[in-house]
Amino acid sequence: MQTLFTREEIHTRIKELGDEITGIYSPFTNEIMAVCVLKGAIHFFSDLVLEINMNVLYSFVQVSSYSGAGSTERVKVKSWLDESIYGKHILVVEDIVDTGITLNYILGYFAKYKPATLKVATLFEKKAHRKVDVPIDFVGFEIGDKFIVGYGFDYDQKKRNLPFVGVEDA
Ligand code: IMP
Ligand code: MG
């Protein structure tokens, strides 16, 4: 296992993102609702909201993507919003945007519920396999074509609790 980002590096970047997010929203609101996309974003979400200097309401959705028939990818909803997002300032907090399919699905549904604003923060972005062009407002790190584990990221549901982000040695 090689460390790609230490816990300290992740935390330093998250502090910057928190400041950036606070700066973007504060001219027009003092309250947002952050929606954690489980399971992968759990640690990013919990560290990020602590760095946002305004009221942050919490909400959670759990989705997973899987390969359907042929090469189509599908998104399975395991749990969904438990309260209305209508008229609220919604910040979707994702772990990583890879093909963009998961985020595109979430944003498509959320937009129908008419939030006041809809923005996205993701800890990582991979551009190599992008299939859907999704708008992302706040990006922690852009990474190349590698598979990461730790700090919420799993390999077959394992390794999520590594306290750093790593890549398996080839
Ligand atoms: P999408 O391809 O953008 O729809 O991303 C789907 C999901 O795949 C992400 O939300 C992650 O949960 C997972 N994923 C993508 N890349 C990685 C990775 O490098 N490590 C672990 N999970 C990943
Ligand atoms: Mg995810």
Side-chain angles (χ1 to χ4, degrees):
M1 179 77 60
Q2 276 174 29
T3 302
L4 198 58
F5 295 99
T6 64
R7 201 175 184 177
E8 290 68 33
E9 287 167 334
I10 296 167
H11 199 214
T12 299
R13 183 68 188 120
I14 289 177
K15 278 190 174 147
E16 293 171 358
L17 286 176
D19 288 346
E20 195 185 332
I21 290 167
T22 305
I24 293 285
Y25 282 105
S26 36
F28 61 92
T29 185
N30 64 358
E31 183 173 282
I32 66 170
M33 178 183 276
V35 181
C36 175
V37 183
L38 295 169
K39 299 175 186 168
I42 179 169
H43 302 297
F44 177 44
F45 177 89
S46 73
D47 285 342
L48 179 66
V49 291
L50 297 180
E51 304 298 339
I52 299 175
N53 191 16
M54 64 179 69
N55 296 324
V56 181
L57 308 177
Y58 294 6
S59 199
F60 302 87
V61 295
Q62 187 178 349
V63 296
S64 60
S65 51
Y66 63 99
S67 299
S71 63
T72 56
E73 273 157 75
R74 290 157 189 277
V75 177
K76 185 171 183 181
V77 175
K78 299 196 168 170
S79 69
W80 200 240
L81 300 166
D82 64 345
E83 60 185 300
S84 172
I85 64 171
Y86 176 81
K88 296 190 175 120
H89 296 285
I90 301 300
L91 178 66
V92 177
V93 181
E94 255 286 22
D95 52 359
I96 186 165
V97 180
D98 185 11
T99 63
I101 290 172
T102 308
L103 182 59
N104 186 56
Y105 181 92
I106 292 170
L107 292 179
Y109 273 93
F110 280 17
K112 291 183 190 170
Y113 305 141
K114 305 234 180 302
T117 60
L118 183 53
K119 295 187 190 295
V120 175
T122 187
L123 183 55
F124 294 106
E125 177 176 25
K126 281 191 209 173
K127 289 189 168 158
H129 313 128
R130 191 64 45 84
K131 291 185 182 163
V132 193
D133 189 23
V134 277
I136 308 174
D137 301 278
F138 309 99
V139 178
F141 304 96
E142 194 181 318
I143 57 168
D145 186 10
K146 28 171 100 59
F147 192 84
I148 56 174
V149 293
Y151 194 71
F153 292 89
D154 71 304
Y155 173 66
D156 203 13
Q157 297 301 328
K158 298 186 180 78
K159 308 201 176 180
R160 287 196 200 274
N161 66 318
L162 292 176
F164 58 89
V165 168
V167 271
E168 226 51 83
D169 294 311

